[in-house]
Amino acid sequence: MKEKSIELLNKAVADELSAVHQYMYFHFHCDDMGYDLLASLFKKTSIEEMLHIERLAERILFLKGDVEMEASTPVKKIHDVKEMLVLAGEMEEKSADDYNKWANECSANADSVSKKLFEDLVEDEERHFDQYDVEMDNMKKYGDNYLALQSIERSKNVGSAASDNA
Ligand SMILES: [Fe+2]
Ligand SMILES: [Fe+2]
């Protein structure tokens, strides 16, 4: 029973690590292009995924396993914002699906604490999906203007900081 839970918890760690890396990669590129809102959303979500790893790791160690710190997939070098949001949404959907299934498996193995942990994570992943979905809708509604606005906002902030310091 313990071995199965440890295996599932480690699979989740691998997916969470992939998400941390992928979202930070998106963060760097959005930041570089001046899209502050999206850059900060990717960074915030990446940090939340890191905290998921911490919770999974604590459970693995409690069950006397060890944490395999290997990402499940390499970072995809996507620079188009729409494609970033599509991939991020798909990753969240997959995590929510997997964690629902794994919660059931842990429950069948009478490991209610791991079950509860996976259920908590599903809640977060669904919220992440929703956040990316909202951004996707904004992109569809406003197109490139949505990104242009974020760049203008950045320039305004930089400009006002410069005049404050003058
Ligand atoms: Fe996560
Ligand atoms: Fe997530």
Side-chain angles (χ1 to χ4, degrees):
M1 157 230 158
K2 263 169 51 173
E3 281 64 34
K4 187 64 198 172
S5 290
I6 292 166
E7 185 200 318
L8 294 174
L9 292 161
N10 260 317
K11 272 168 81 169
V13 167
D15 287 343
E16 295 285 347
L17 270 172
S18 296
V20 168
H21 296 166
Q22 189 69 62
Y23 298 164
M24 279 311 281
Y25 181 84
F26 290 161
H27 161 75
F28 303 142
H29 281 276
C30 286
D31 185 59
D32 187 50
M33 293 184 280
Y35 306 149
D36 284 348
L37 193 147
L38 284 167
S40 93
L41 176 64
F42 281 125
K43 183 174 173 179
K44 259 175 34 199
T45 315
S46 175
I47 292 168
E48 283 193 41
E49 310 299 13
M50 200 184 73
L51 297 175
H52 287 173
I53 296 173
E54 187 179 22
R55 293 179 66 184
L56 291 159
E58 280 167 1
R59 183 67 189 153
I60 292 169
L61 294 188
F62 178 84
L63 295 172
K64 307 274 181 245
D66 201 3
V67 189
E68 307 299 332
M69 291 294 280
E70 301 278 345
S72 59
T73 44
V75 168
K76 293 189 178 66
K77 298 193 168 166
I78 293 172
H79 299 162
D80 176 81
V81 173
K82 244 184 239 165
E83 286 176 37
M84 288 181 190
L85 291 170
V86 169
L87 178 65
E90 285 170 359
M91 287 169 74
E92 295 297 341
E93 261 183 321
K94 186 182 179 299
S95 292
D97 280 357
D98 285 344
Y99 296 170
N100 266 317
K101 276 184 223 142
W102 300 345
N104 289 339
E105 279 192 57
C106 289
S107 170
N109 291 328
D111 178 359
S112 59
V113 175
S114 300
K115 170 191 186 266
K116 167 85 171 48
L117 172 54
F118 279 126
E119 284 172 347
D120 286 352
L121 299 191
V122 169
E123 221 177 296
D124 283 350
E125 311 308 3
E126 286 189 352
R127 179 171 44 81
H128 294 164
F129 173 82
D130 198 48
Q131 286 169 336
Y132 291 137
D133 200 44
V134 166
E135 294 308 314
M136 199 59 182
D137 280 349
N138 285 337
M139 289 283 299
K140 277 186 198 140
K141 256 192 276 178
Y142 308 116
D144 287 341
N145 292 338
Y146 182 61
L147 296 176
L149 265 178
Q150 293 189 37
S151 287
I152 292 166
E153 199 55 35
R154 154 85 65 100
S155 302
K156 275 204 300 205
N157 292 337
V158 170
S160 69
S163 63
D164 287 350
N165 291 331

